[in-house]
Amino acid sequence: MTSHHMTPDEFRRHGHALVDWIADYRERVETFPVLSKAKPGELRRALPASPPLRGEPFDAMLADVERLILPGVTHWQSPSFFAYFPSNSSFPAVLGELLSAGLGVQGMIWATSPACTELETHVLDWLVDMLGLPEGFKSSTDGGGVIQDTASSSALCAVLAARERATGFASNRDGARQDLVAYTSTQTHSSIAKAAKIAGIGESNLRLIEVDETFAMRPEALERQIQADREAGRIPFFVCATLGTTSSTAVDPVGAIGSICEEHDLWLHVDAAMLGPAALCPELRFLNDGLEHADSYCFNPHKWMFTTFDCDCFYVKNRKELIETLTILPEYLKNEATASGAVIDYRDWHIPLGRRFRALKLWFVIRHYGVEGLTHHIRRHVELARQFAEWVTLDERFELAAPAPFNLVCFRHKGGDGVTEALMQQLNDSGKLYLTHTKLDGRYAIRMSIGQTETEEKHVRAAWEQITALATSV
Ligand SMILES: *Cc1c(COP(=O)(O)O)cnc(C)c1O
């Protein structure tokens, strides 16, 4: 009789095979079309209609990964993936994921795995120093940091904590009220609208503040709107500023916005999901100017800091407000360490109760690269983006659609929206690279996002060569 389990010896063998497969995959990733050519339903049709009654050998699964799964994969780890935003990974991060799965701990409270909590607190404190974030985000102060799954969850936690602070925790007890108003710019990420919906604020109570010619929020417009809402008897309570908007990496003036928030006692959340790691480079640290005003802040190591999805770092200035908003202590979770107040129980810092040991991958990444290695790669990506932007500027057929001071270049063909869109379509059909678009000032723009782990000058150069070659024929 079989136990049905995979034995440690079998795991060793298949594990080695899988690690080899992943290493080979990364070596040959450039041989695949970057954007999957799969048609809707193709994979479903190739899979058996029912699950296997008897267990199957692992080799058969790995063979199906190659045969069935790979054709349906868009290769986010390709050095010619320039679409959306980087979701870069690295081998140390993959190993951290594997270890996390291998240990299989559930870190909902300190007592359920002390290392899971303490490593997280420690690494998040490191990151405050690495990025030059305000000291008030460190765990030794009233603030602190926690790993969330995504920036969307961080935004929701920020809105909830802000709602409770503004209502003296009455919303938690009695339900959300209808007169609260939140503010963000027209360029903000969609996750802020989602947070407003989930938190019971209502999307119609989220004001989208106009932006200037760099697509950054206009603080005077924010101030005016807050005044108008006050006069109408509403209760302004929350502002989200963005460092690195999704469309064009615009940077909202956090200092000026922060002063307004302080004057009117509003919660300021700063969303730096993609761009946060730019602050590793001293010459780009101006990004964090004014951040001392923020009540909360988040960035995603799973975007542009070589850490496999999912990993978002969320910081608050006053952890009591966050914890009081989210805390819940059923009988079955009561324990001595919690009662003593000497430990952090991260279950009170986010929506889910359960939590994976995500700090391992972040710890591996930081220790493998060192601050120096991480800074080197971020700086290199920014240099490549500047080089690309220069090529765009020098070619009379093209123009920049927005300033490009970081890792994203938005550009368009001067022939107009139709030509620009057709060009992007042809480039993506070629399979050699993958680009996506946005609209800026109502006009179509191609986004060239440079931040994949293995992206080098030759990939950026090849992309530009293809763009210019196809531009001749569109
Ligand atoms: C990507 C992004 C988000 C959403 O990130 P998730 O972690 O996927 O929720 C939010 N804000 C900004 C500015 C982003 O770039």
Side-chain angles (χ1 to χ4, degrees), residues 182-188 192-193 203 206-210 225:
Y183 305 81
T184 192
S185 90
T186 57
Q187 298 294 306
T188 206
I192 307 304
E203 220 180 331
L206 177 66
R207 308 272 187 260
L208 301 181
I209 305 300
E210 66 188 84
Q225 185 63 52

Side-chain angles (χ1 to χ4, degrees), residues 235-298:
I235 305 176
F237 81 109
F238 175 87
V239 177
C240 173
T242 310
L243 301 179
T245 59
T246 305
S247 268
S248 72
T249 59
V251 171
D252 288 338
V254 170
I257 293 169
S259 302
I260 296 169
C261 289
E262 263 150 38
E263 189 191 324
H264 294 276
D265 197 19
L266 312 191
W267 183 290
L268 175 60
H269 175 62
V270 176
D271 175 6
M274 197 258 301
L275 213 50
L280 281 164
C281 307
E283 71 276 18
L284 298 174
R285 196 162 284 178
F286 63 85
L287 183 68
N288 290 343
D289 285 354
L291 205 51
E292 63 282 359
H293 293 286
D295 292 287
S296 56
Y297 167 85
C298 76

Side-chain angles (χ1 to χ4, degrees), residues 39 41 45 52 76 109 112 148 219 254 326 333 347 406 431 446 456:
K39 300 278 176 296
R45 279 192 295 278
W76 282 74
I109 52 179
T112 58
Q148 304 252 354
V254 170
L326 298 176
L333 289 181
R347 65 148 204 271
F406 300 106
I446 300 176
E456 292 171 22

Side-chain angles (χ1 to χ4, degrees), residues 85 149-155 187-192 242-247 271-275 298 300 302-303 309 311-312 447:
F85 43 78
D149 52 3
T150 60
S152 301
S153 295
S154 286
Q187 298 294 306
T188 206
H189 189 267
S190 55
S191 53
I192 307 304
T242 310
L243 301 179
T245 59
T246 305
S247 268
D271 175 6
M274 197 258 301
L275 213 50
C298 76
N300 290 351
H302 73 225
K303 271 182 167 160
F309 189 88
C311 184
D312 165 89
R447 295 169 73 265

